[in-house]
Structures are given as structure tokens and as C-alpha cells.
Coordinates of all heavy atoms in Angstrom, one line a residue:
F23 N 6.3 6.6 3.1 CA 7.5 6.7 3.9 C 7.3 7.7 5.1 O 7.9 7.5 6.2 CB 8.7 7.1 3.1 CG 9.3 6.0 2.3 CD1 9.0 5.7 1.0 CD2 10.2 5.2 2.9 CE1 9.5 4.7 0.3 CE2 10.8 4.1 2.2 CZ 10.5 3.9 0.9
V24 N 6.6 8.7 4.8 CA 6.4 9.7 5.9 C 5.5 9.2 6.9 O 5.7 9.4 8.1 CB 5.9 11.1 5.3 CG1 5.7 12.1 6.4 CG2 6.9 11.6 4.3
F25 N 4.4 8.6 6.5 CA 3.4 8.0 7.4 C 3.3 6.5 7.1 O 2.3 6.1 6.5 CB 2.0 8.7 7.2 CG 2.1 10.2 7.3 CD1 2.0 11.0 6.1 CD2 2.2 10.8 8.5 CE1 2.1 12.4 6.2 CE2 2.3 12.2 8.6 CZ 2.2 13.0 7.5
P26 N 4.2 5.7 7.6 CA 4.2 4.3 7.3 C 2.9 3.6 7.8 O 2.5 3.9 8.9 CB 5.5 3.7 7.9 CG 5.8 4.8 9.0 CD 5.4 6.1 8.4
P27 N 2.3 2.7 7.1 CA 1.1 2.0 7.5 C 1.4 1.1 8.7 O 2.5 0.6 8.8 CB 0.6 1.3 6.3 CG 1.8 1.1 5.4 CD 2.7 2.3 5.7
V28 N 0.5 0.9 9.5 CA 0.6 0.0 10.7 C -0.3 -1.2 10.5 O -1.5 -1.0 10.4 CB 0.4 0.7 12.0 CG1 0.5 -0.2 13.2 CG2 1.3 1.9 12.1
D29 N 0.2 -2.4 10.6 CA -0.6 -3.6 10.6 C -1.6 -3.6 9.5 O -2.8 -3.9 9.7 CB -1.3 -3.8 11.9 CG -0.3 -4.0 13.0 OD1 0.8 -4.6 12.8 OD2 -0.6 -3.6 14.2
E30 N -1.2 -3.2 8.3 CA -2.1 -3.2 7.2 C -2.5 -4.6 6.8 O -1.7 -5.4 6.5 CB -1.4 -2.5 6.0 CG -2.3 -2.4 4.8 CD -1.5 -1.7 3.6 OE1 -1.4 -0.5 3.6 OE2 -1.1 -2.4 2.7
P31 N -3.8 -4.9 6.7 CA -4.3 -6.2 6.3 C -4.0 -6.5 4.8 O -3.9 -5.5 4.0 CB -5.8 -6.2 6.5 CG -6.1 -4.7 6.4 CD -5.0 -4.0 6.9
P32 N -3.8 -7.7 4.4 CA -3.6 -8.0 3.0 C -4.8 -7.5 2.2 O -5.9 -7.6 2.6 CB -3.5 -9.6 3.0 CG -3.1 -9.9 4.4 CD -3.8 -8.9 5.3
R33 N -4.5 -7.0 1.0 CA -5.5 -6.5 0.1 C -5.6 -7.5 -1.1 O -4.8 -8.3 -1.4 CB -5.1 -5.1 -0.4 CG -5.1 -4.1 0.7 CD -4.4 -2.8 0.3 NE -3.0 -3.1 0.2 CZ -2.2 -2.2 -0.3 NH1 -2.6 -1.1 -0.8 NH2 -0.9 -2.4 -0.3
T34 N -6.7 -7.3 -1.8 CA -7.0 -8.1 -3.0 C -6.0 -7.6 -4.1 O -5.5 -6.5 -4.0 CB -8.4 -7.9 -3.5 OG1 -8.6 -6.5 -3.9 CG2 -9.4 -8.3 -2.4
P35 N -5.7 -8.5 -5.1 CA -4.8 -8.0 -6.1 C -5.3 -6.8 -6.8 O -4.5 -5.9 -7.1 CB -4.8 -9.2 -7.1 CG -5.1 -10.4 -6.2 CD -6.1 -9.9 -5.2
D36 N -6.6 -6.6 -7.1 CA -7.1 -5.4 -7.8 C -6.9 -4.2 -6.9 O -6.5 -3.1 -7.4 CB -8.6 -5.6 -8.1 CG -8.8 -6.6 -9.2 OD1 -7.8 -6.9 -9.9 OD2 -9.9 -7.2 -9.3
A37 N -7.2 -4.3 -5.6 CA -7.0 -3.2 -4.7 C -5.5 -2.8 -4.7 O -5.2 -1.6 -4.7 CB -7.5 -3.5 -3.3
R38 N -4.6 -3.7 -4.6 CA -3.2 -3.4 -4.5 C -2.7 -2.8 -5.8 O -1.9 -1.9 -5.8 CB -2.4 -4.7 -4.3 CG -0.9 -4.4 -4.2 CD -0.2 -5.6 -3.6 NE -0.5 -5.9 -2.3 CZ -1.4 -6.8 -1.9 NH1 -1.9 -7.6 -2.8 NH2 -1.7 -7.0 -0.6
R39 N -3.2 -3.2 -6.9 CA -2.8 -2.6 -8.2 C -3.2 -1.1 -8.2 O -2.5 -0.3 -8.7 CB -3.5 -3.3 -9.3 CG -2.9 -3.0 -10.7 CD -3.5 -3.8 -11.8 NE -3.3 -5.2 -11.5 CZ -4.2 -6.1 -11.3 NH1 -5.5 -5.7 -11.3 NH2 -3.9 -7.4 -11.1
D40 N -4.3 -0.7 -7.6 CA -4.7 0.6 -7.6 C -4.0 1.5 -6.5 O -4.0 2.7 -6.6 CB -6.2 0.7 -7.3 CG -7.0 0.2 -8.5 OD1 -6.5 0.2 -9.6 OD2 -8.2 -0.2 -8.3
S41 N -3.4 0.9 -5.6 CA -2.8 1.6 -4.5 C -1.3 1.3 -4.3 O -0.7 1.4 -3.2 CB -3.5 1.4 -3.2 OG -3.5 0.0 -2.8
S42 N -0.6 0.8 -5.4 CA 0.8 0.5 -5.2 C 1.6 1.7 -5.0 O 1.2 2.8 -5.4 CB 1.2 -0.2 -6.5 OG 0.9 0.5 -7.6
R43 N 2.8 1.5 -4.4 CA 3.5 2.7 -3.9 C 4.8 2.9 -4.7 O 5.4 1.9 -5.1 CB 3.8 2.5 -2.4 CG 2.6 2.4 -1.6 CD 3.0 2.2 -0.1 NE 1.9 2.2 0.8 CZ 1.2 1.1 1.1 NH1 1.6 -0.1 0.5 NH2 0.2 1.1 1.9
D44 N 5.3 4.1 -4.7 CA 6.6 4.4 -5.2 C 7.0 5.6 -4.4 O 6.3 6.2 -3.7 CB 6.6 4.7 -6.7 CG 7.9 4.6 -7.3 OD1 8.9 4.4 -6.6 OD2 8.0 4.6 -8.6
A45 N 8.3 6.0 -4.6 CA 8.8 7.2 -3.9 C 9.8 7.9 -4.8 O 10.5 7.2 -5.6 CB 9.4 6.8 -2.6
P46 N 10.0 9.2 -4.6 CA 11.1 9.8 -5.3 C 12.4 9.3 -4.8 O 12.5 8.6 -3.7 CB 11.0 11.3 -4.9 CG 10.1 11.3 -3.7 CD 9.2 10.1 -3.8

């Protein structure tokens, strides 16, 4: 949220699982 990604390319399911996001 503080540093929103720009034009992030689609990732593989495994990569997304390791870098999924949440926030307080």
C-alpha cells in the first residue's frame, strides 16, 4: 500500500503463493 507496484507482470501460481499480500 505504501509502495504500490507498477505494471507488475503476471506471476506463476507458486511465486504468487510465496508473495501474497495482506495489510493491517
Side-chain angles (χ1 to χ4, degrees):
F23 278 97
V24 178
F25 306 105
V28 179
D29 297 329
E30 180 182 283
R33 293 165 287 171
T34 63
D36 288 339
R38 179 168 293 102
R39 191 175 300 117
D40 290 337
S41 60
S42 54
R43 299 178 177 89
D44 200 350

